[in-house]
């Protein structure tokens, strides 16, 4: 199967009560860990690339890595998505360069400006058979070097979504209901709670429309402890409770973004490896267990969080 857009994936996910995982990729081992789990579990998958990933690994290397995964996993649908596109030019470069889906994130701009830039991206993308994710609302945390503090974060306003989708023609909408980017999503000792009431209001206004959740790593404590045990310092790293993500996936949320969990699994595993094998220096030896742990973590998400195992 060639690279696909997310259109069919989202239609099935919406009606099937599950979400497709959107995992950020930055190198070969991450691509392999994710797609091997998806192939074995027969799950559709979105591989997404941020502006930072393109700066780090180079657009062509990332596209070719994803194309290699498509060849290795012909049984499952794979979409290649631009995460947090910051301008028309970045989106155009990905549309021209082989992506099947782009996000234009103008959520920090005033409403009318967000509509105008999103509309421009949608027109170009649709002319080229590519789909577009847009965003309304502001998540806290750091995304592509832009840091939004808790005071400037705000939930998506349900009263704005109908007009936004109608005027932009976007294919899916990322919303802010309490998730945030990074590994420190909630204060220790508090009770993490997503705003399902806002999600339900939005669904009433946009029936059958695919909703996206960013900042949806669950920050597995197993890996936080591994990092902290082997020389790291990540006190108080807390993510979104998995049962709340599962609940969101049963509603209109069709795409759930996960990046920090991949980073934690990789970093924790490598830290442990070096602590236990101070004499080793072959990158294949420490990247192999890191890739294996990414694969098992993704498998767990597909089965227990996203509910998309067996849906390819
Ligand atoms: O939302 C941001 C993603 O986690 C990508 O992060 O910009 O550091 O690649 P990055
Ligand atoms: P996390 O930081 O929770 O993994 O979120 C990733 C994300 O939303 C990428 O766009
Ligand atoms: Zn994001």
């Amino acid at each position: 199967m060639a690279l696909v857009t997310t259109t069919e994936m989202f239609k099935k996910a919406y009606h099937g009560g599950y979400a497709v995982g959107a995992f950020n990729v930055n190198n070969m081992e991450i691509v392999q860990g994710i797609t091997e789990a998806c192939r074995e579990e027969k799950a559709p998958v979105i591989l997404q690339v941020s502006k930072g990933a393109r700066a780090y690994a180079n657009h062509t290397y990332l596209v070719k890595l994803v194309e290699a995964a498509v060849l290795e996993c012909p049984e499952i649908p794979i979409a290649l998505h631009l995460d947090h596109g910051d301008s028309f030019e970045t989106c155009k470069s990905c549309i021209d360069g082989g992506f099947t889906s782009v996000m234009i994130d103008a959520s920090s701009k005033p409403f009318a400006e967000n509509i105008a830039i999103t509309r421009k991206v949608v027109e170009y993308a649709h002319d080229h058979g590519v789909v577009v994710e847009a965003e309304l609302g502001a998540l806290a945390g750091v995304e592509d070097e832009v840091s939004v503090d808790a005071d400037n974060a705000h939930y998506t306003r349900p009263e704005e979504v109908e007009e936004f989708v109608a005027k932009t023609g976007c294919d899916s909408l990322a919303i802010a209901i309490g998730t945030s980017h990074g590994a420190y999503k909630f204060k220790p000792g508090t009770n993490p709670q997503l705003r399902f009431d806002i999600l339900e209001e939005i669904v009433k206004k946009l029936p059958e429309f695919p909703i996206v959740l960013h900042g949806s790593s669950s920050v597995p404590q197993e890996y936080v402890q591994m990092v902290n045990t082997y020389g790291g310092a990540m006190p108080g790293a807390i993510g979104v409770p998995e049962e709340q993500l599962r609940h969101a996936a049963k509603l209109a949320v069709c795409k759930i973004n996960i990046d920090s969990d991949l980073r934690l699994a990789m970093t924790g595993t490598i830290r442990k490896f070096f602590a236990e094998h101070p004499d080793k220096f072959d990158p294949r030896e420490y990247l192999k267990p890191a890739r294996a742990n990414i694969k098992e973590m993704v498998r767990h998400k597909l089965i227990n969080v996203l509910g998309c195992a067996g849906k390819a």
Side-chain angles (χ1 to χ4, degrees), residues 22-24 48 50 81 83-84 103 133 139 142-143 179-183 185 213-219 239-240 255-263:
F23 299 96
N24 286 70
Q48 57 186 14
S50 69
H81 174 77
D83 190 28
H84 293 287
M103 175 189 194
E133 174 186 325
L139 276 71
V142 181
E143 61 194 36
T179 61
S180 60
H181 290 105
K185 300 184 191 298
L213 280 191
H214 281 246
S216 294
S217 277
S218 52
V219 187
V240 183
K255 173 175 181 272
I256 289 188
N257 284 11
I258 296 166
D259 185 6
S260 298
D261 288 352
L262 303 169
R263 298 176 180 197

Side-chain angles (χ1 to χ4, degrees), residues 96-117:
D96 295 344
F99 284 46
T100 55
S101 173
V102 293
M103 175 189 194
I104 174 67
D105 180 359
S107 59
S108 62
K109 305 263 194 304
F111 186 64
E113 215 179 310
N114 189 353
I115 289 179
I117 179 172

Side-chain angles (χ1 to χ4, degrees), residues 15 41 76-77 101 115 139 211 252 298 301:
H15 294 289
E41 297 304 326
I76 58 166
S101 173
I115 289 179
L139 276 71
I211 300 298
V298 169
K301 305 255 179 210

